[in-house]
Amino acid sequence: MPGLLLFARRWAIASDDLVFPGAFELFIRLIWWIGMLVLYFVHKGHFDCVGGAILRSYLIVLIVLLASIICVVSAIVYVSMQGTIANPGPRKCMPKLVYIRLALYVPEFVWAVLGAIWVSDNRMQCDRVVVHVILFAVIASWVIILLTTIAIVLVFDPLGRKKTLYRPSDLQNLESSQSEQVLYNVRKASTRVWETRIRLLCCCIGKDNDNRVAFSNIAELLNSYFSDTDLVPSDIAAGLTLLHQEQDKVELSRDPEEVMCHSPTHNTSDSLEIELDKAAHYMQFAAAAYGWPLYVYSNPLTGLCKLCGECCQNRASQYEFVGGDRFNCQFGSILQTTGLQHRDFIYISFHNRIYEIPFFVALDHKTESILVAVRGTLSLEDVLTDLSADCENLHIEGVTGESFAHKGITQAASYIYRRLVNDGILNQAFTTAPEYKLVIVGHSLGAGAAAVLAIMLRSSFPVLKCYAFSPPGGLLSKGLADYSKNFIVSIIVGKDLVPRLSLPNMEDLKRKILRMVVNCNRPKYQILLRGCWYEIFGGTPDDFPTELDGRNFEAFSQPLLAEQSLMVHKSSSYNTLTEDSPSGSPQYPLLFLPGKIIHIVEERRSGCLCFSDVKHSASWSKETSFSSIYISPRMITDHMPDIVLNALRSLCLDQTSCSSCQAPPGVLATNQI
C-alpha cells in the first residue's frame, strides 16, 4: 500500500508493516512489565534503605509507563492486522497511534536517564538484587531506544516530503504545466538521491569521469524503474511470495513444455551431446577466470592447502600479470582449475575497473584452441558494469535490422577487443599456435562480454566459437541475436535469474507484483507468514482468495482502482494489467540472449542435503522461454558457476557411462549425486 504519512512526509513503511515489530516489542514489554511487578511486590516492604523512596517511585512510574506502552503497542498491532495491502481503510487511525507511541518515548527516555543516575550513585544502599534488576531495566530501555532510532533511519525516505505532492489526487488540482513541473522536480530530486546512494556505496572505487558517468546513468535507470509505484519493500516481498506460489501452481498444472529436439541450425555435427561435451570442458576455463575466491568456495577443505604451494612461488620474473597478483593466488587457482601448464598462458589480466574486466588468454592443447576466458561479476565495479543497462549501437557487417547491445557489457567487450587486437595478444597467440582455432568463453557478465566480443571478432576469425554460460538476458538486439546463432552457444541451468533479467522483464515483474498485491484480500502478515513457511518447508502452494472470487472473471480486464492507488504516475514503460508478457517500449527496447540456447533443467530430486540424487535433462530451447522471471529459491543458486559446471559434468558423465541407453533425440538425462 502507499507508504505511511507521518509529520507531513511519506516513509518507506506501510501501516500494515507494524505487526511483526510490534508483536516483538509487545513480547519484550510484557516480560519486562511482569518482572517489574514481581520485583515491586516482593520488595514492597523493603524500601527503607538509603535511596529506597526514590527506587519505589521509580518502579511505580516505570510499571505505569510500561502498561501504557503495552496498551498502545497492542492497539498498533491489532490495527496493523486489519485490511489488505491495497485496502488501508481499516488502518486509517494508525498515524494517531504511532504519534502516541512516539510521544511515550519522551518519558521513557527521561526515566532511562534517571535510572542510570540512580544505579551509578554509590550512596544508594539497597538490595543488590534490586540494583541489578534496575540496571537491566535501564539497559533494556536504552537498547529499545537505540533500535527505534535505527529503524527510523532505515525507513526514512529522503523524498518523503516531495512525494506527498506526487499523488494523482493532488496533481489533478493543478494545471497541466504545473503538474508536469512538479513531476519533473520530483524525478530530478529522486535521481539525485539515487546517485548519492550509489556514490556512498561506491566511495572506494574512485571518482574519475567514467565512474561519474556510470553513476549518473545507473541513477537515472533506477529512478525510472522505481519512481512510478508507491510500494514499500514489504509490499514487494509479499508480491514476490504470492507470485512464486502462483507460478508453482501453473507449473504443476500445465503439460510438459514443448522443446526443440534438434539444433536450431540443423547442423548434425553440432548435436546436443557434442555441444554439452564441449561446454563441460570449456566451463572450467570460465570458472577459472574467477580466481581464488571461487576455487576456495568450491573446495572448502582442500582449496587453501593446494594454493599454498602456488602462492609461495615467485613467478614475477616469468610472467607479467596486469593488475597485480602479488601472492600468485589468482594464477595458482587458475592452474589448479584448468590443469594447464605455466607455458600454456599467453596473457593474464587481473585489471578491474568499471567497463574493464579481467580475462586471460591460454592455449588448450586438448581441443587445439586459443582460449579467451572472461571473468564474470565479482567486484563492485562489475556490478556497476552490469547495471549500465542502456543500449549502445554496434556496427557489424552482415547483420540485418537494428544492431545494438547492453551498454556496460559492450564497453567491457570493447576494452578486451582493444587489448587483444591493438596490443597484439591474438597475433602472439596465433604465432605460437597458428593451426589452433579461437574459442571465447565466460560466465554471467563474462558470458555477455564474451558473446559481444565474439561478434566483434567474427569477421576476422570466421571459425571462432563462443560458449556463454548463464549470460544476461538483456544483451543483444534481435538482429544481433539471430546473427550470433551460427557461432555462439548459451548454456542456462534451471530457473537462473540472470538470463531472464532485462528491463522489459523487470517491468513485467513489477506489473505482476502489482496484480498479486491488488487482488489478494488477505492481510500482509498472513501472506508473509505463509510465504516463509512455503519457502523453507515447501508444501502445496497456497490458494489465497482474491477480491475477484465470486465475481465474473471478465472484471479482471477492467481497470482496478486499487492498482491505480499504488501507481504514483503511469510511466511510459508501464503496461496495464490486461497486457500480456513484456514487449519492447520506447524506453526499454527488447534485448535477447546470444546464440543457440541449451537449457538444463532439474527433473526431480530425492534424498536430502549432500546426499541428494538429482536428475537433470538438457534440451535446445528458444529465447521466448526466458521472456519472464520465475521466482524460486534456486533462481540465484542455479546461476553459480560451480552449479553450472557440476551439472554439465554430470550430464557428460552419464552420457559416457550410459551410452547404451536409448534416449529421445536431442534430450539427455542424468543423475547427479
Side-chain angles (χ1 to χ4, degrees):
M1 65 153 288
L4 191 61
L5 292 178
L6 294 171
F7 304 106
R9 70 179 305 120
R10 175 195 180 276
W11 298 78
I13 189 172
S15 58
D16 54 355
D17 286 337
L18 303 177
V19 175
F20 298 118
F24 177 75
E25 182 182 4
L26 187 61
F27 175 74
I28 299 298
R29 297 286 186 178
L30 280 172
I31 295 177
W32 188 356
W33 182 66
I34 293 173
M36 292 299 101
L37 278 177
V38 172
L39 179 68
Y40 178 79
F41 285 109
V42 169
H43 293 80
K44 188 173 183 180
H46 302 83
F47 292 116
D48 53 354
C49 58
V50 177
I54 298 176
L55 173 61
R56 182 175 179 274
S57 301
Y58 179 85
L59 287 176
I60 292 175
V61 174
L62 181 60
I63 290 171
V64 174
L65 180 60
L66 287 174
S68 303
I69 293 174
I70 289 172
C71 292
V72 175
V73 173
S74 299
I76 289 175
V77 172
Y78 175 77
V79 172
S80 186
M81 295 169 67
Q82 308 305 306
T84 64
I85 296 177
N87 179 26
R91 303 187 297 273
K92 60 184 179 182
C93 63
M94 182 61 74
K96 297 179 181 178
L97 293 173
V98 174
Y99 286 138
I100 296 174
R101 177 64 190 93
L102 292 175
L104 288 174
Y105 275 109
V106 176
E108 184 176 13
F109 175 79
V110 173
W111 230 238
V113 173
L114 293 177
I117 295 174
W118 186 88
V119 171
S120 61
D121 193 344
N122 294 327
R123 294 175 299 172
M124 303 302 174
Q125 302 297 326
C126 293
D127 188 351
R128 300 306 300 174
V129 175
V130 177
V131 174
H132 289 154
V133 172
I134 298 301
L135 177 61
F136 172 80
V138 170
I139 294 175
S141 295
W142 285 109
V143 169
I144 291 178
I145 292 172
L146 177 63
L147 293 177
T148 302
T149 304
I150 294 174
I152 291 174
V153 172
L154 291 177
V155 301
F156 177 79
D157 187 350
L159 295 171
R161 192 171 298 278
K162 289 183 177 292
K163 286 184 178 179
T164 58
L165 303 174
Y166 201 29
R167 298 177 178 278
S169 59
D170 297 325
L171 294 177
Q172 288 174 358
N173 299 326
L174 301 176
E175 296 181 359
S176 176
S177 59
Q178 291 177 319
S179 63
E180 289 179 1
Q181 184 63 35
V182 170
L183 292 174
Y184 172 77
N185 292 336
V186 174
R187 292 191 191 103
K188 188 175 180 180
S190 179
T191 301
R192 287 199 302 268
V193 169
W194 278 109
E195 188 168 352
T196 301
R197 290 169 176 169
I198 296 171
R199 290 182 185 277
L200 291 175
L201 182 65
C202 306
C203 59
C204 59
I205 66 173
K207 298 181 180 180
D208 59 25
N209 187 59
D210 288 341
N211 292 358
R212 286 193 294 268
V213 172
F215 293 162
S216 179
N217 292 339
I218 295 170
E220 291 178 2
L221 171 67
L222 295 175
N223 173 58
S224 65
Y225 183 76
F226 289 107
S227 64
D228 62 347
T229 56
D230 196 10
L231 295 175
V232 298
S234 61
D235 295 335
I236 298 175
L240 291 174
T241 295
L242 292 170
L243 182 58
H244 178 205
Q245 297 181 60
E246 185 68 23
Q247 289 176 341
D248 283 356
K249 285 191 293 185
V250 172
E251 187 173 358
L252 290 173
S253 61
R254 70 182 179 184
D255 294 331
E257 182 181 6
E258 293 185 2
V259 297
M260 300 177 61
C261 295
H262 299 285
S263 169
T265 58
H266 302 288
N267 189 340
T268 56
S269 64
D270 287 337
S271 67
L272 180 63
E273 290 77 10
I274 295 175
E275 291 292 3
L276 282 171
D277 186 60
K278 293 179 180 178
H281 175 73
Y282 290 131
M283 179 59 203
Q284 64 184 343
F285 294 91
Y290 283 96
W292 69 264
L294 179 62
Y295 183 77
V296 174
Y297 171 78
S298 302
N299 303 274
L301 299 179
T302 61
L304 288 175
C305 296
K306 290 181 179 179
L307 287 181
C308 285
E310 297 291 343
C311 294
C312 294
Q313 298 182 30
N314 183 12
R315 300 193 185 91
S317 59
Q318 303 177 37
Y319 302 94
E320 181 182 356
F321 300 139
V322 178
D325 184 23
R326 181 180 302 177
F327 301 107
N328 294 317
C329 292
Q330 301 281 19
F331 188 41
S333 64
I334 293 175
L335 290 173
Q336 292 287 341
T337 304
T338 62
L340 298 181
Q341 302 297 317
H342 304 155
R343 62 180 179 274
D344 296 329
F345 289 87
I346 305 297
Y347 184 85
I348 302 177
S349 172
F350 301 114
H351 173 75
N352 194 196
R353 291 180 56 193
I354 296 179
Y355 308 141
E356 299 175 3
I357 56 181
F359 68 98
F360 68 82
V361 181
L363 300 178
D364 179 23
H365 302 294
K366 180 179 179 179
T367 60
E368 296 186 347
S369 303
I370 295 174
L371 272 167
V372 179
V374 187
R375 197 190 76 182
T377 302
L378 193 62
S379 67
L380 196 55
E381 290 87 350
D382 298 334
V383 173
L384 295 175
T385 301
D386 288 320
L387 291 176
S388 297
D390 291 337
C391 293
E392 183 166 304
N393 289 327
L394 270 178
H395 302 289
I396 305 296
E397 294 183 3
V399 177
T400 58
E402 293 183 312
S403 179
F404 52 84
H406 184 288
K407 176 182 178 179
I409 295 176
T410 300
Q411 294 199 15
S414 299
Y415 159 76
I416 300 176
Y417 178 88
R418 292 192 299 270
R419 302 303 301 270
L420 294 177
V421 176
N422 298 346
D423 294 354
I425 297 173
L426 285 182
N427 286 337
Q428 178 186 351
F430 279 101
T431 300
T432 305
E435 71 282 5
Y436 282 19
K437 61 181 180 295
L438 180 61
V439 177
I440 307 174
V441 301
H443 173 268
S444 189
L445 167 63
V452 177
L453 178 62
I455 293 173
M456 293 177 175
L457 292 171
R458 170 70 169 175
S459 59
S460 301
F461 302 92
V463 296
L464 74 77
K465 291 282 291 185
C466 174
Y467 289 86
F469 302 95
S470 307
L475 184 61
L476 302 175
S477 63
K478 181 62 174 175
L480 284 176
D482 291 339
Y483 172 75
S484 67
K485 291 182 185 298
N486 292 323
F487 55 94
I488 297 178
V489 177
S490 293
I491 293 90
I492 300 169
V493 175
K495 296 184 178 180
D496 188 351
L497 169 67
V498 174
R500 296 174 170 86
L501 270 184
S502 65
L503 293 177
N505 284 3
M506 290 297 294
E507 282 293 330
D508 178 59
L509 178 64
K510 179 169 64 176
R511 176 171 59 91
K512 290 177 178 177
I513 289 175
L514 281 170
R515 175 184 296 181
M516 300 307 297
V517 300
V518 164
N519 292 330
C520 185
N521 65 4
R522 288 282 185 89
K524 187 191 298 182
Y525 78 94
Q526 293 185 13
I527 298 173
L528 295 176
L529 282 175
R530 176 68 180 97
C532 289
W533 180 273
Y534 183 75
E535 298 296 340
I536 296 173
F537 302 104
T540 304
D542 201 348
D543 189 14
F544 279 110
T546 68
E547 301 286 359
L548 300 177
D549 286 351
R551 297 190 298 171
N552 192 331
F553 189 73
E554 293 180 357
F556 192 66
S557 63
Q558 304 300 320
L560 297 174
L561 295 178
E563 177 261 337
Q564 295 296 330
S565 72
L566 294 175
M567 298 293 297
V568 176
H569 73 283
K570 188 173 181 178
S571 71
S572 60
S573 60
Y574 179 76
N575 299 321
T576 63
L577 295 179
T578 60
E579 295 175 4
D580 294 324
S581 60
S583 59
S585 67
Q587 186 175 4
Y588 300 145
L590 277 177
L591 294 175
F592 297 87
L593 289 164
K596 301 178 295 183
I597 303 171
I598 296 177
H599 191 199
I600 302 172
V601 297
E602 179 183 306
E603 290 190 339
R604 67 174 183 267
R605 178 186 295 265
S606 59
C608 59
L609 300 177
C610 299
F611 303 100
S612 60
D613 182 25
V614 183
K615 186 176 182 60
H616 287 94
S617 65
S619 60
W620 295 107
S621 187
K622 300 179 180 179
E623 60 268 16
T624 53
S625 300
F626 306 92
S627 60
S628 61
I629 295 174
Y630 288 96
I631 310 302
S632 169
R634 300 190 62 84
M635 62 192 299
I636 302 299
T637 57
D638 281 345
H639 183 70
M640 297 299 292
D642 59 317
I643 298 296
V644 178
L645 180 58
N646 289 337
L648 285 167
R649 283 177 172 173
S650 62
L651 281 166
C652 295
L653 180 63
D654 185 77
Q655 177 186 353
T656 303
S657 60
C658 299
S659 58
S660 60
C661 298
Q662 297 297 321
V667 178
L668 185 65
T670 186
N671 289 327
Q672 176 185 352
I673 298 180

